[in-house]
Amino acid sequence: MRGTRNGEDCIIKLEEHEVEKDLGVFVDSKLTFKEHVAKTTAKANTVVGIIRRTFDFLDDNLFMNLYKSLVRPILEYGHSVYQPYHKTLCSDIEDVQRRATKQLPTVRDLPYPERLRHLRLPSLEHRRNRGDMIDTYKYMHGLYDVDRPRLEPATSHNTWGHSLRIKKKHCRLNVHSSSFSQRVVNSWNNLPDSVVTAPTLNCFKSRLDAHWQQLPSVYEPSCLQ
């Protein structure tokens, strides 16, 4: 590649990298995000270890405050970009929360889904899906001041469902089907009209949580089954 340096023409050699960090997300050449998940879970596990060594005793309230403020944000940062479509990667992320909740004496002997129910702590898998729905609501209602992804309205001859349905496209590759504009379609289209047409974002969150409160995935992530 030709360029200029100090006003003189020169040839700049471009190096090839398998992984590149962009805004805190490690993007690999095949868009598997294995490197990002590995680094993110390692960092989150380190913080969990610091909490364990710092506090001789953790009650439920103290644990929840520490976990939600120090650990979970690490695991959820940039999830709209790196949403893992491999079950093993999803499991690696969920394992951080699974091991963290075992630090609590009150629930450490319970199975993971029961620990989550006791703590009223949704699975990370469920929270990523919930985050996708919140982002979709913002795009569909013009709350994001950015270029919207290709969320095309469904064709008019399909009358089932709500009034803001999104068109489902055919994908040959897993990496395409896991992209934001594709993976949100089924979950969004299956929501009732009263949820997707909520007048405010907070109202949407409340109605979404009420609609999804009985879903098994809230406390039973499919990646660990």
Side-chain angles (χ1 to χ4, degrees):
M1 175 181 177
R2 288 192 172 275
T4 59
R5 181 178 296 170
N6 297 326
E8 299 180 357
D9 290 339
C10 62
I11 296 178
I12 301 175
K13 183 179 180 181
L14 298 180
E15 297 181 358
E16 183 177 344
H17 296 273
E18 289 297 318
V19 180
E20 190 68 33
K21 185 178 180 180
D22 187 13
L23 296 177
V25 178
F26 291 87
V27 183
D28 60 90
S29 58
K30 295 183 180 179
L31 296 179
T32 63
F33 295 101
K34 290 182 180 180
E35 184 80 7
H36 181 78
V37 171
K39 291 182 178 296
T40 297
T41 54
K43 182 178 180 180
N45 279 321
T46 298
V47 177
V48 172
I50 293 173
I51 294 174
R52 183 177 64 250
R53 293 189 296 271
T54 303
F55 295 89
D56 294 330
F57 177 79
L58 284 173
D59 60 21
D60 292 1
N61 186 56
L62 177 58
F63 167 80
M64 291 293 285
N65 287 333
L66 291 171
Y67 176 77
K68 288 182 177 180
S69 61
L70 300 178
V71 181
R72 194 166 68 180
I74 297 174
L75 299 170
E76 295 186 336
Y77 174 77
H79 77 89
S80 296
V81 176
Y82 81 88
Q83 186 83 294
Y85 59 90
H86 286 297
K87 189 174 183 178
T88 53
L89 296 182
C90 178
S91 177
D92 290 342
I93 299 171
E94 199 71 41
D95 274 344
V96 178
Q97 182 165 277
R98 180 181 61 81
R99 287 191 293 267
T101 54
K102 286 186 72 69
Q103 295 189 39
L104 283 171
T106 55
V107 297
R108 64 172 47 143
D109 295 328
L110 297 175
Y112 180 53
E114 294 304 317
R115 295 202 297 273
L116 296 185
R117 287 190 179 90
H118 176 84
L119 298 170
R120 299 183 64 84
L121 185 65
S123 70
L124 296 173
E125 182 180 274
H126 175 80
R127 281 183 56 84
R128 287 194 299 273
N129 194 23
R130 180 179 184 270
D132 278 348
M133 294 300 96
I134 293 173
D135 284 340
T136 304
Y137 176 89
K138 291 179 179 179
Y139 282 121
M140 298 299 290
H141 290 268
L143 300 183
Y144 269 148
D145 189 21
V146 294
D147 292 336
R148 59 183 294 176
R150 296 181 178 179
L151 302 177
E152 299 181 13
T155 53
S156 59
H157 64 268
N158 291 328
T159 58
W160 65 270
H162 56 74
S163 57
L164 297 177
R165 290 176 60 251
I166 303 172
K167 182 179 180 180
K168 181 71 172 181
K169 298 179 181 179
H170 175 69
C171 299
R172 294 186 300 105
L173 303 176
N174 286 335
V175 67
H176 186 198
S177 62
S178 66
S179 64
F180 178 85
S181 61
Q182 294 300 308
R183 69 173 185 262
V184 302
V185 175
N186 289 342
S187 294
W188 177 260
N189 286 349
N190 287 332
L191 295 176
D193 194 74
S194 59
V195 175
V196 301
T197 59
T200 66
L201 179 59
N202 286 335
C203 181
F204 171 78
K205 293 177 181 179
S206 297
R207 293 181 182 182
L208 178 66
D209 290 338
H211 178 66
W212 275 0
Q213 64 180 343
Q214 300 301 325
L215 285 181
S217 62
V218 176
Y219 301 120
E220 299 178 16
S222 60
C223 63
L224 293 184
Q225 296 175 5

